[in-house]
Amino acid sequence: MVLPSLSVQASAASRTDLEPRAIGSAYTQVDLQQIRAGQMVSAREALLEVPGVAINAERPGEYTSVSIRGSDTDQVLVLLDGIELGDPSATSTQFQFDHLTTLDIDRIEVLRGNQSSLYGSDAIGGVINILTQRATEDGIRLNLEGEGGSYGHKRGGGSLLGRQGPVDFRFTFHGQSVDGPSQAKPVRGPSVEDDPSWQYGFSGRLGVQVLPNLYVEALGFQTLTDHHYDNTGQDGFDTVDKDEDAMAFRATHTAWDGRWTNQLLFSTYHAERRYFAGYTRPDGDVYDGTKRNINFITRLKPLDIVSVAAGFDLEREETTQVTNFSGDFVAGIDTHSGFGEIAVEPVRDLTLTAALRHDSNSRFGGFDTWRGTVAYFVENVAPDADLKLRASYGTGAKAPGLYQLFDPLYGNERLTVEESRGWDVGVDAWWRDMALELTWFQTDVTNEIDFDFAQGGYIQRGETETSGVELGFTAAPTPWLMLRQTYTYLLADDVQLARTLGRPRHVGATTVTVLPLTDLSLSARVRYRSFNASSSGGRTDGFATVDLLASYRLDDQWEVYGRVVNLFDQDYQLTYGYQPYPLTAYLGLRTSLGLGGLEGLFGG
C-alpha cells in the first residue's frame, strides 16, 4: 500500500505514538508484503516507489544518495530500530544506502518535510525509519531466500526468528556478489573492465521481558563489502572496502496500563571506508567515523484527549582520516538536545500537535527548532470511505559535517548551521480497496552548504526553495487486479542566484499486477524520471524503464519468483557518467519453515 493501513502504528511520524488517523505530517510506509511483491532486494529499491523520494544509484555497492523533496542526501536522517545511521567521516554525516539489504526489514516509514524538532540535525528533508522483523508468535521460524541472475549475480540469506515466554530473537545472515559490467558510462573512452562487487553480513536482536512492565533488548548488525568503482565517465581499477556496524541496547518501562512509557537507548554506529587507487596510500586511504547516542524519551497520556512526550539526546560524532588524497585529521563534536511534543484532540477526530527542540552544539552553540501539525479525520464521509485532511509547518537545522569543516584541502571552518522552514497541506483517503495521498509542499533553506569547484572547497550560499506535489495511489478494483501509482512534481530554485537547481521535475512509478491463478502473480512496472541538470559533471536525460515480475507459490512454504529489469534495454543514467544495468534477468526461490517451539532451550 502507498498509504499505511489505519490499523498500522506510525512509529516515526510522532514522538507521542499517535494513530495514523491523527498524524498531520506527510508520511508513507513500505511494508513487508510490498517489498516481497516488488522483489526489492535492497532498501534503496523500496524507496523508489515512495512519493517525494529520489535516489541516484541502483547497482549493488554503488554510492547511493537519497533526496526527499529535492533535499541534499545529508538532510535526510536514517533510523534503524531507533539507531541513528550516519557516517561522521562522510562529507556531512550522511548515511549511504549502498549495502542495506531488505532481508531483515519488516517495514520502512518515510516522514517528509522538516522534522528537526522531533529528531534534530540532518532531518530538514525528512526521516527514513527502518523497522526490522520480530517474531509474532511462539516457536521458531526459518525464512530463506536465494537468487541468481545476469552478470554473475548471486544473492542469498535467511532469518531465524523465535519467541517463547519472555524471550524473543531474530538472527539474519546475507550475502551478495556480482561480476560487472563496468560502472562508468563511456564518455571518456570505452568501458572495458568489469566492476565486481560483493558483500556479506549479519544482523540480530534479542529481547527479554524481565518484568511485567520492563522489556530489554540488544540489537545490531555488521556488513563487510568490497566494491570496484570508476570515476565520473572514466574506466578505472579503483576499489573500496567498507566495514559497517551498529549496536544498541534499549530498555522500555510501562506503567498505568500502558498510559506511561519510558525508554532509554544506547546506540553506536561505525563505518570505515578504505580506498585503493593510484594516488592512495599503499594500505589504502582511510575514512573512519563513529556516532554514539544516548537517548531517553518519556510518553504520557494523562487524559484520553492529551498525549505528551519529552526527552533528551546526547550525541558524540568522531572521525579519523588518514589519506594521500586530501590530508589527515582527527576531529569530534558533541550535541546535547532536549525536546518535547504535545498532541491534543480538542474535539472528536481533530488532532493538533506542537513540538519544540533545543540543540546545544559544542562548536556552534544552541539552536531551536519547532513544528506544528493539524489532522482532521472524517469517518464514513461517503459509504465505505474515510478521509483525512492534514497540514504541518516546521523549522529545521543542519550542522556542517566534520569533513566539511576540517578536511585539510576542502574544509571551511567558517561554515555555520543550515536553517530551513517549510509547510505542507494534504489529503489522505481510503475507499474500499483503494487508498490515495495527495500533498502540496514547500521548503526554504538558508545558509545552505555547497561545494564550489572554482574555489575548490565548501562554501555557504544564500537561499534555496523547493516546492511541488506528491501523489500516491493504490487500488484493487477486482480480486485479480492491483494498481499502484506514485508521482512527484518538483520545482527547485536557487533564490539568490535566480536559477534552477536542476533537480528532476517529474519522478514516478506505475505498477500493474494481475493474478490469473490463485498462486500466480504477474506484474509490469514502469519507472520514469525527467532530466536532471544537477547531476555532478553534466546533465542526465529523462528516461522510462520497464520491468516484468512474476511469482508462483508452490505450496504454503515455498515460492519461486523471477524478474526482468530494464526490459527494453534502455540506455539511461541516474548520475552523470555512471550507467545502471542494461537488460538483466533474475530467478529466485524463497521459503518460510516452522521449526517447532523453544521448550527444549528454555526448559518448558
Side-chain angles (χ1 to χ4, degrees):
M1 296 290 287
V2 169
L3 281 176
S5 166
L6 290 176
S7 63
V8 177
Q9 191 72 14
S11 59
S14 170
R15 304 309 292 265
T16 60
D17 283 347
L18 292 176
E19 296 180 353
R21 61 192 288 163
I23 298 297
S25 294
Y27 82 104
T28 301
Q29 290 185 4
V30 182
D31 60 22
L32 180 60
Q33 179 182 4
Q34 186 176 340
I35 290 172
R36 289 179 175 172
Q39 300 180 32
M40 303 167 182
V41 301
S42 66
R44 61 181 168 191
E45 290 182 64
L47 298 173
L48 283 169
E49 298 184 20
V50 175
V53 177
I55 68 171
N56 76 329
E58 295 177 346
R59 293 176 52 153
E62 187 176 4
Y63 173 79
T64 303
S65 64
V66 176
S67 173
I68 298 180
R69 294 181 173 175
S71 72
D72 291 332
T73 188
D74 61 355
Q75 296 170 343
V76 176
L77 179 66
V78 182
L79 303 171
L80 176 68
D81 288 332
I83 304 172
E84 286 196 18
L85 304 182
D87 180 4
S89 72
T91 54
S92 186
T93 322
Q94 69 268 29
F95 176 67
Q96 301 177 18
F97 276 85
D98 313 2
H99 310 289
L100 193 59
T101 179
T102 58
L103 270 172
D104 58 357
I105 291 178
D106 180 69
R107 72 181 190 268
I108 300 175
E109 302 175 345
V110 181
L111 179 62
R112 303 188 292 278
N114 279 304
Q115 309 301 332
S116 292
S117 60
L118 300 181
Y119 295 100
S121 186
D122 306 341
I124 285 177
V127 176
I128 298 174
N129 185 41
I130 302 168
L131 302 170
T132 60
Q133 299 173 32
R134 296 182 177 222
T136 58
E137 56 187 17
D138 286 349
I140 301 176
R141 180 160 294 277
L142 177 64
N143 299 326
L144 296 173
E145 186 172 316
E147 66 179 40
S150 303
Y151 298 103
H153 171 88
K154 295 180 286 291
R155 184 188 68 87
S159 291
L160 187 69
L161 299 94
R163 191 180 75 177
Q164 182 69 44
V167 178
D168 68 279
F169 69 89
R170 175 189 54 79
F171 180 80
T172 301
F173 62 94
H174 63 88
Q176 177 173 287
S177 67
V178 64
D179 296 335
S182 177
Q183 180 180 334
K185 182 72 174 175
V187 296
R188 298 182 185 172
S191 296
V192 295
E193 59 88 28
D194 290 335
D195 287 316
S197 179
W198 61 259
Q199 69 177 76
Y200 66 89
F202 62 89
S203 68
R205 61 175 308 278
L206 173 66
V208 181
Q209 192 76 43
V210 294
L211 295 171
N213 61 349
L214 180 62
Y215 179 78
V216 298
E217 58 185 323
L219 57 150
F221 73 88
Q222 182 173 32
T223 303
L224 303 176
T225 65
D226 179 89
H227 176 65
H228 290 230
Y229 69 95
D230 293 326
N231 294 317
T232 303
Q234 187 175 13
D235 230 7
F237 298 91
D238 302 341
T239 64
V240 55
D241 295 339
K242 184 177 181 181
D243 183 354
E244 185 178 21
D245 58 83
M247 181 174 294
F249 299 93
R250 178 164 46 216
T252 303
H253 169 265
T254 59
W256 294 354
D257 296 325
R259 299 175 72 93
W260 185 24
T261 302
N262 299 287
Q263 192 171 85
L264 180 64
L265 173 71
F266 299 86
S267 69
T268 298
Y269 171 81
H270 168 257
E272 180 190 277
R273 294 169 290 128
R274 190 178 293 265
Y275 292 86
F276 297 89
Y279 54 82
T280 60
R281 301 163 66 248
D283 56 347
D285 279 9
V286 177
Y287 299 82
D288 190 289
T290 302
K291 175 184 280 195
R292 298 183 178 90
N293 288 81
I294 301 175
N295 178 272
F296 173 77
I297 185 170
T298 182
R299 300 180 178 93
L300 178 64
K301 195 175 181 66
L303 302 171
D304 290 340
I305 63 170
V306 178
S307 299
V308 294
F312 65 81
D313 186 71
L314 310 178
E315 179 177 277
R316 171 69 176 174
E317 295 177 0
E318 299 173 339
T319 184
T320 299
Q321 177 176 305
V322 183
T323 78
N324 282 345
F325 181 66
S326 61
D328 306 345
F329 76 93
V330 177
I333 199 165
D334 297 298
T335 306
H336 298 167
S337 310
F339 58 89
E341 184 183 20
I342 183 170
V344 180
E345 187 178 359
V347 298
R348 179 177 173 82
D349 295 325
L350 175 65
T351 305
L352 308 175
T353 74
L356 178 65
R357 183 184 184 101
H358 177 77
D359 291 275
S360 178
N361 186 284
S362 59
R363 179 174 180 83
F364 303 105
F367 47 91
D368 301 316
T369 53
W370 58 271
R371 188 191 76 161
T373 74
V374 56
Y376 182 59
F377 184 80
V378 185
E379 191 172 11
N380 293 324
V381 65
D384 301 319
D386 299 328
L387 181 73
K388 182 175 74 171
L389 304 176
R390 52 178 167 78
S392 71
Y393 186 95
T395 63
K398 171 69 177 77
L402 296 171
Y403 181 91
Q404 292 173 328
L405 288 166
F406 302 118
D407 181 78
L409 185 58
Y410 302 116
N412 180 356
E413 296 190 33
R414 296 187 300 273
L415 297 176
T416 60
V417 175
E418 297 176 332
E419 298 178 346
S420 72
R421 59 189 184 277
W423 54 264
D424 59 39
V425 294
V427 57
D428 301 333
W430 296 262
W431 181 62
R432 296 180 182 174
D433 294 317
M434 299 185 185
L436 169 73
E437 64 169 312
L438 182 64
T439 307
W440 177 30
F441 66 88
Q442 179 173 313
T443 303
D444 299 301
V445 181
T446 56
N447 297 326
E448 186 157 5
I449 298 170
D450 196 6
F451 190 86
D452 188 297
F453 288 92
Q455 298 184 24
Y458 289 95
I459 62 169
Q460 207 135 20
R461 50 193 171 91
E463 181 178 357
T464 62
E465 178 182 289
T466 59
S467 61
V469 176
E470 300 161 339
L471 169 69
F473 176 72
T474 60
T478 71
W480 54 268
L481 176 65
M482 291 183 289
L483 309 171
R484 179 178 294 113
Q485 175 68 56
T486 62
Y487 171 72
T488 304
Y489 175 77
L490 177 69
L491 296 174
D493 298 301
D494 188 314
V495 177
Q496 183 180 30
L497 300 179
R499 69 183 185 187
T500 178
L501 293 176
R503 303 283 200 271
R505 183 165 295 186
H506 307 279
V507 178
T510 304
T511 303
V512 179
T513 301
V514 296
L515 307 172
L517 302 173
T518 302
D519 297 316
L520 177 64
S521 172
L522 304 174
S523 296
R525 178 174 61 202
V526 181
R527 290 171 174 162
Y528 42 90
R529 195 175 82 172
S530 59
F531 74 86
N532 179 12
S534 66
S535 181
S536 177
R539 163 177 160 156
T540 64
D541 295 330
F543 65 87
T545 61
V546 178
D547 306 332
L548 298 181
L549 303 91
S551 65
Y552 182 73
R553 180 160 291 281
L554 302 173
D555 54 32
D556 291 340
Q557 296 180 329
W558 293 89
E559 179 184 11
V560 61
Y561 64 90
R563 63 190 180 278
V564 177
V565 179
N566 196 3
L567 175 66
F568 299 109
D569 202 16
Q570 177 72 33
D571 183 14
Y572 70 101
Q573 300 176 77
L574 288 170
T575 299
Y576 179 78
Y578 297 94
Q579 55 183 349
Y581 283 128
L583 169 67
T584 52
Y586 307 89
L587 183 65
L589 183 68
R590 63 167 63 107
T591 186
S592 182
L593 305 171
L595 302 181
L598 301 177
E599 291 84 356
L601 293 177
F602 298 100

